[in-house]
Amino acid sequence: MLSLRSHTRVDIRIVVQFAIFTRALSLVLQAALNAIIPDHEADAFSPPRTVKPRLLDYTTDVLLGGLGRWDAEHFLFIAEHGYVYEHNFAFFPLFPLVLYSVASTLLWPLSPFLTLHGRLLLAVAIANTTLFVLSAVALFGLSCAVLQDRSLALLSSLIYCLTPANVFMLSGYSETLFAALTFGGLWFLEKGFTLRACLFLCLATGARANGLVNAGFLLYLPLQRSLAQASLCITVVVLPFGLFQLYGYYTFCRPTVTQEQVPDVLLNLADKKGYRVPDEAAPTPSWCLMRIPILYSYIQDVYWDVGFLRYFKLKQIPNFLLALPIATLSVMALYMYIKANPLFCLHLGLGKSAKKGKEGKPPANFYSSKVFVYIVHCFSLLIFGIFCMHVQVLTRFLASSSPVVYWISGHVLLCNEPSLLEEKHFAYGKPQDNLKQCCIHSYLVSINNPITQLLMHWNTCSFRTRCILGYFVSYWLLGLVLHCNFLPWT
C-alpha cells in the first residue's frame, strides 16, 4: 500500500496527464475544424495587420488561427499595440502582458520568421496550455483542502479537464489565467498562507474584473484569524481594478497624445467603426464628467449594452437555453447543500457545524462546512450573470471562477455510479507501474482515470451520469467547432 502522500503524487500525475491530453487533442481538433469549416463573416473586432507577413506566419495562422477569434482579437491586439481604442479597456491587462512577455522572450528567436502577431498566436497555445495544467493541479489541491475527500477531489479535477468552457480555456482569452490564479489563491487561503493567497487573488483581478468578487473569500475565511489582515488583503485585491481605471481615466480624460501618433491603418479603422482614440485636441468624453468616472462600466453599458435585465428579450431565449445546463448545476449545488445543512446555512456558515457524519464528525465531502462559502460565491456569480450580463457568457464565467461546478458534478457521479466507489478505481500499484503509462492508448485504458472509464462504458452509466458527461463533452467539442470558425457560441 502506498502512503497518502504517494497517493496524492499519483493523483496529481493522473490530473496532469489528462490535462495535457485534453489540451493536445483540443489544439489538433481546432486546427482541423478551422481548416475544414469556412469562417463565418462575423461582425467582430478585426483590426488590420500593420506589418507584412513573414515566412512562417501563414503556417501559424493555418494551425493556430482558431485561437484568435472573437474577443481573442482584442487580447492579441492589446498585446501587440497596447490600449489604442477606448473599448479595449474592457479587457484587463495581465493576460496581454503574459502573451507579450512569452512572445518577446521565449519566442524571440523566431522573430526573423514570425511577426509579433504570429508569435502572439503561438504564445496563446503555449501559455494557455501551461496555465490550464497548473489550474487543474490547483483545483485538485483546493478540492483536497476543502472536501477532505481524495476520490471526489480527483474526480472533480478530471471533470474540469473536460470543462464546457474548453474553447475559451484554449483560445486567446483570459479565463485560463484567471482560473489558475483563483484556484491557486484559494488553495493557499485554505492552507493558511494568507499573504500568498492575497498576491494570487490580486493578480486574478488584474486578469478579469470578476476577480473583485474573490475579495469575499478574504473577508470570510480569515475572519476568525485577523480582521485587520483580511481588510488589508481585500484592499490589495481591489487595487488592480482601481489602478486600471485610473490608467483609463488619464488616457482619455487627460490625454497627452494626438491622433497623429496612432498608426494610419489603426486610425482609419477608428474612423470607419467610430472607435474613440486618445486625443488631447478632442472633446472630453462624457464618462470623464461622472462623479465616479469608471471606464469599465461605461464600456459595458455603451459598447456591449450590458445592464440589469437588458438581456431579458424573446430573441435571447436561445442564449438562455445555452446557459441553462451550468445554471442548473449551480442551483442543484445550492439546493443539495442547503437541504443537507439547513441550520448551518441559516447561520451563514458561522454557527453550528455542518451535518454530522457517521462518526459524529463533519462530513468530508461535498457537504463539508468548508464548502459553504464556495456555494455562496457560485450562487452570487449566477445571479449576477443571469440578470446583469449577456447570459450566454455564464458558462465560461462560472466554469473559470467557481470550483462548485466541478464538485457538484463529481458528487453526482459518485452518488450514481457505484462502480466509482469500488477500490479498483482509486487504487494504485507501485509508482513505477504508473510511470509506464506513457502513450495515449495505455493512458486511455488505464483504470486509474475514472472519467475515461465512464466514457468507455457509456451504455452502463446511469441517466444522471450521461446527462452530466454528455453536457461537458458536447460543449467541449461544440465550442471548438463553432467558436474557432467565428460562429456564435457562449
Side-chain angles (χ1 to χ4, degrees):
M1 293 293 291
L2 295 174
S3 66
L4 180 60
R5 180 172 296 181
S6 297
H7 278 158
T8 301
R9 285 200 299 267
V10 174
D11 286 341
I12 292 175
R13 186 182 299 119
I14 293 172
V15 171
V16 168
Q17 287 177 345
F18 197 46
I20 293 174
F21 172 75
T22 57
R23 293 309 88 198
L25 182 59
S26 296
L27 285 170
V28 170
L29 286 176
Q30 70 81 28
L33 293 167
N34 190 36
I36 295 170
I37 303 173
D39 286 346
H40 173 64
E41 293 185 8
D43 183 20
F45 181 62
S46 183
R49 302 293 173 246
T50 57
V51 296
K52 293 182 179 180
R54 295 175 186 169
L55 181 63
L56 296 180
D57 276 293
Y58 177 77
T59 303
T60 302
D61 191 63
V62 168
L63 296 177
L64 301 176
L67 305 182
R69 307 306 192 210
W70 296 104
D71 286 354
E73 282 278 20
H74 289 278
F75 287 109
L76 292 169
F77 178 84
I78 294 167
E80 186 174 0
H81 300 287
Y83 287 88
V84 176
Y85 304 127
E86 184 181 59
H87 68 281
N88 290 149
F89 279 82
F91 305 90
F92 278 50
L94 185 58
F95 185 61
L97 181 61
V98 169
L99 294 183
Y100 180 78
S101 299
V102 174
S104 59
T105 55
L106 181 64
L107 300 178
W108 178 81
L110 295 177
S111 55
F113 313 103
L114 278 173
T115 61
L116 178 56
H117 184 269
R119 283 181 281 135
L120 287 170
L121 268 180
L122 191 55
V124 167
I126 294 172
N128 273 351
T129 296
T130 304
L131 288 167
F132 187 86
V133 174
L134 293 175
S135 67
V137 173
L139 177 60
F140 175 75
L142 173 63
S143 302
C144 287
V146 173
L147 304 172
Q148 296 293 307
D149 184 330
R150 184 176 59 84
S151 298
L152 181 53
L154 175 60
L155 200 60
S156 302
S157 303
L158 294 175
I159 292 173
Y160 170 73
C161 295
L162 297 175
T163 174
N166 175 51
V167 72
F168 302 103
M169 299 290 202
L170 183 74
S171 301
Y173 282 64
S174 57
E175 270 76 3
T176 308
L177 174 62
F178 183 77
L181 292 170
T182 297
F183 295 158
L186 295 177
W187 183 14
F188 279 131
L189 196 61
E190 289 289 349
K191 301 298 286 185
F193 301 113
T194 307
L195 294 180
R196 297 181 193 178
C198 182
L199 174 61
F200 269 61
L201 297 180
C202 169
L203 292 173
T205 306
R208 293 187 63 82
N210 52 299
L212 291 170
V213 184
N214 290 334
F217 290 104
L218 289 164
L219 179 63
Y220 180 85
L221 293 177
L223 190 60
Q224 300 175 353
R225 306 169 197 164
S226 172
L227 183 58
Q229 186 184 50
S231 301
L232 177 62
C233 286
I234 289 173
T235 303
V236 173
V237 169
V238 174
L239 186 62
F241 182 86
L243 290 176
F244 188 50
Q245 301 315 300
L246 187 64
Y247 172 56
Y249 177 83
Y250 276 98
T251 299
F252 287 96
C253 303
R254 300 287 188 271
T256 58
V257 298
T258 61
Q259 289 190 358
E260 286 73 19
Q261 295 172 262
V262 179
D264 289 340
V265 290
L266 301 183
L267 194 58
N268 291 338
L269 179 65
D271 292 337
K272 180 180 179 181
K273 295 289 187 177
Y275 299 152
R276 179 179 284 137
V277 297
D279 184 5
E280 61 181 357
T284 302
S286 60
W287 64 269
C288 296
L289 305 177
M290 297 178 181
R291 178 174 297 180
I292 304 178
I294 300 178
L295 178 54
Y296 181 78
S297 300
Y298 171 81
I299 293 170
Q300 293 294 332
D301 177 26
V302 174
Y303 286 90
W304 275 274
D305 193 31
V306 171
F308 183 63
L309 296 182
R310 291 189 187 178
Y311 230 55
F312 279 66
K313 302 173 184 177
L314 288 177
K315 66 179 182 180
Q316 300 299 344
I317 289 178
N319 287 323
F320 277 89
L321 293 177
L322 276 176
L324 183 60
I326 202 161
T328 301
L329 284 175
S330 302
V331 172
M332 183 189 303
L334 176 72
Y335 171 76
M336 293 175 67
Y337 193 84
I338 292 179
K339 184 179 179 181
N341 306 295
L343 292 179
F344 183 69
C345 294
L346 188 63
H347 288 87
L348 302 180
L350 298 174
K352 297 180 180 180
S353 298
K355 178 182 177 182
K356 302 294 183 181
K358 293 181 179 180
E359 299 179 0
K361 298 179 180 180
N365 51 34
F366 180 73
Y367 299 120
S368 165
S369 59
K370 289 186 175 184
V371 175
F372 173 80
V373 67
Y374 295 90
I375 295 287
V376 173
H377 171 256
C378 179
F379 192 67
S380 300
L381 294 178
L382 175 66
I383 294 299
F384 180 80
I386 291 175
F387 291 101
C388 302
M389 292 172 53
H390 291 181
V391 74
Q392 70 269 25
V393 177
L394 193 63
T395 300
R396 57 186 170 100
F397 184 59
L398 286 174
S400 63
S401 305
S402 175
V404 170
V405 173
Y406 308 105
W407 291 345
I408 186 61
S409 300
H411 175 72
V412 171
L413 293 187
L414 283 174
C415 290
N416 288 273
E417 296 300 327
S419 63
L420 290 179
L421 299 176
E422 296 177 8
E423 185 67 21
K424 64 178 182 178
H425 281 287
F426 298 99
Y428 307 98
K430 296 179 180 179
Q432 57 266 31
D433 293 335
N434 291 281
L435 292 173
K436 293 178 182 178
Q437 299 169 6
C438 298
C439 68
I440 291 177
H441 176 72
S442 63
Y443 174 72
L444 285 176
V445 301
S446 168
I447 206 166
N448 290 342
N449 190 327
I451 294 299
T452 57
Q453 289 297 303
L454 290 175
L455 291 174
M456 289 189 294
H457 296 86
W458 180 264
N459 292 335
T460 64
C461 293
S462 68
F463 174 74
R464 289 187 178 182
T465 297
R466 291 184 187 183
C467 286
I468 289 178
L469 291 182
Y471 162 57
F472 275 74
V473 173
S474 61
Y475 271 53
W476 187 93
L477 184 58
L478 278 173
L480 294 172
V481 174
L482 299 175
H483 185 275
C484 293
N485 293 286
F486 265 126
L487 292 164
W489 186 234
T490 62

